[in-house]
Amino acid sequence: MTTKPTFGTHPFLLGFEDLERLVERTARASDGYPPYNIEQTGSEGFRITLAVAGFAESDLSITLEDRQLMVRGRQAEPEGRTFLHRGIAARQFQRAFVLGDGVEVGGASLENGLLHVDLQRSVPENVVRTIRIETGSRDEG
């Protein structure tokens, strides 16, 4: 069975194949851990806050590749400790966010078990470009 492309069939949406792949990649969401908030911090600013209680700065990594912001956490297993009950999970996680064009990561901070990632949208310049029209026929040889 083949899937119908979301953007590929509309004649006015040319070159949006990458966007379709981003939508598919985002749809494969993780299990909901860790919980997070996304808030607007200004007219062009955003903040993603993840609840990462128990994770140290060295247990966390943030990468940006091809407009995908990836936050990963991995805690080392405590050695020499015997738990009678383990209700606080020390599990690894991976949380992905797809950023739009012009959205840049401004920085990240860890405070009181909350990881904050600040984002800023840059306003693109409005560029008008004139395309030269050539006359005559081209040889296809």
Side-chain angles (χ1 to χ4, degrees):
M1 181 177 178
T2 60
T3 59
K4 180 180 175 187
T6 306
F7 300 108
T9 59
H10 197 285
F12 298 126
L13 298 174
L14 302 174
F16 282 87
E17 296 82 13
D18 288 341
L19 181 59
E20 188 168 2
R21 281 192 287 276
L22 285 173
V23 169
E24 289 174 7
R25 192 166 49 183
T26 305
R28 290 184 236 129
S30 61
D31 64 357
Y33 178 79
Y36 65 93
N37 292 336
I38 300 176
E39 62 183 297
Q40 189 157 4
T41 58
S43 63
E44 300 299 331
F46 304 94
R47 174 176 265 189
I48 300 171
T49 301
L50 294 97
V52 293
F55 285 84
E57 183 181 346
S58 60
D59 298 331
L60 300 167
S61 72
I62 303 172
T63 57
L64 181 62
E65 180 179 344
D66 190 27
R67 294 189 300 171
Q68 183 168 352
L69 178 70
M70 188 69 68
V71 181
R72 293 181 176 95
R74 172 175 283 196
Q75 291 176 312
E77 279 295 317
E79 294 182 24
R81 295 173 70 184
T82 304
F83 292 94
L84 300 178
H85 171 75
R86 188 155 187 185
I88 301 172
R91 64 179 178 169
Q92 65 182 13
F93 70 85
Q94 177 173 299
R95 175 70 74 178
F97 301 91
V98 178
L99 305 182
D101 285 336
V103 176
E104 299 291 328
V105 178
S109 61
L110 183 62
E111 178 182 2
N112 298 325
L114 298 174
L115 176 64
H116 303 288
V117 181
D118 293 315
L119 306 170
Q120 188 69 32
R121 182 191 328 261
S122 60
V123 180
E125 293 181 26
N126 189 9
V127 177
V128 177
R129 189 175 129 211
T130 303
I131 309 301
R132 191 174 136 234
I133 301 172
E134 296 182 18
T135 58
S137 63
R138 292 187 175 194
D139 292 335
E140 295 183 25

